[in-house]
Amino acid sequence: MSSALKNLSDFTTDNLPDISDKTFAIVVSEWNTDVTHALYTGAYDTLLKYGAKEENIISAKVPGSFELSLGAQKMAQQANIDAVICLGCVIQGETRHFDFICQAVADGITNVSLKFDKPVIFGVLTPNTQEQAMDRAGGKHGNKGDEAAITAIKMLGI
Ligand SMILES: Nc1c(NC[C@H](O)[C@H](O)[C@H](O)CO)[nH]c(=O)[nH]c1=O
Ligand SMILES: CC(=O)[C@@H](O)COP(=O)(O)O
């Protein structure tokens, strides 16, 4: 279902786990930083809203979305980190580079999550245009960062 039909910031919050003692890592790509900073703010604020402590949220920047997998691994391998949220924005250009990045980071993040048996959340926008990105980073379709944070919380409840 497209984000146009289901707002990214509209989600159920029934039976969320207590996350007051949980530690979260947020790994953010520096490409399209106007978008990824908005995603970061959404994720950070959502974690606090549902009970995380500021001192238990660790943040790290990586150059681009392709590097999110390694950044996620460096966080997930730390015993004290309970969940990792990866945030990025890959905007379609003129070539197939977009396809390779998107597939690599989706596969890489999945592999890290399975390897370390921890939630590693794919909070990466893959729009065709800057406008589509902004619509999903606090615009009319909500904030992908909110969705990524609530997904991490829900996964800790399993
Ligand atoms: N074009 C975008 C990139 N490209 C950079 C790659 O992510 C990577 O850093 C580079 O290929 C070196 O390994 N990254 C994004 O996050 N968003 C883009 O639109
Ligand atoms: C997704 C990208 O890496 C993209 O910005 C590269 O643009 P292009 O495909 O026009 O080289």
Side-chain angles (χ1 to χ4, degrees):
M1 178 183 290
S2 73
S3 300
L5 298 177
K6 183 190 177 302
N7 191 285
L8 292 166
S9 300
D10 181 18
F11 37 72
T12 60
T13 57
D14 304 331
N15 304 313
L16 292 179
D18 174 10
I19 61 170
S20 59
D21 64 341
K22 300 298 184 182
T23 298
F24 296 85
I26 306 179
V27 185
V28 192
S29 164
E30 294 184 288
W31 257 78
N32 302 311
T33 191
D34 51 338
V35 176
T36 61
H37 182 70
L39 299 179
Y40 175 83
T41 301
Y44 187 87
D45 291 349
T46 298
L47 290 176
L48 296 183
K49 179 178 180 179
Y50 291 103
K53 297 187 173 73
E54 286 188 26
E55 59 266 28
N56 292 343
I57 302 175
I58 300 166
S59 303
K61 294 180 180 179
V62 294
S65 290
F66 186 86
E67 286 74 35
L68 285 172
S69 301
L70 181 55
Q73 178 168 286
K74 290 182 178 294
M75 291 296 177
Q77 70 189 13
Q78 298 179 47
N80 67 309
I81 289 180
D82 298 295
V84 182
I85 297 166
C86 297
L87 302 174
C89 178
V90 188
I91 300 177
Q92 176 67 64
E94 296 177 350
T95 72
R96 294 171 58 221
H97 195 223
F98 170 91
D99 299 329
F100 292 105
I101 294 173
C102 294
Q103 191 63 58
V105 71
D107 291 346
I109 287 174
T110 299
N111 293 337
V112 172
S113 184
L114 297 175
K115 178 179 179 180
F116 292 99
D117 192 26
K118 293 182 179 178
V120 180
I121 308 307
F122 183 72
V124 181
L125 293 173
T126 57
N128 296 309
T129 66
Q130 176 78 9
E131 179 182 10
Q132 287 180 354
M134 295 309 291
D135 286 346
R136 292 158 176 79
K140 64 183 179 181
H141 296 320
N143 191 320
K144 190 75 171 178
D146 298 357
E147 179 202 56
I150 205 71
T151 301
I153 295 169
K154 290 182 175 180
M155 287 304 292
L156 290 175
I158 292 179

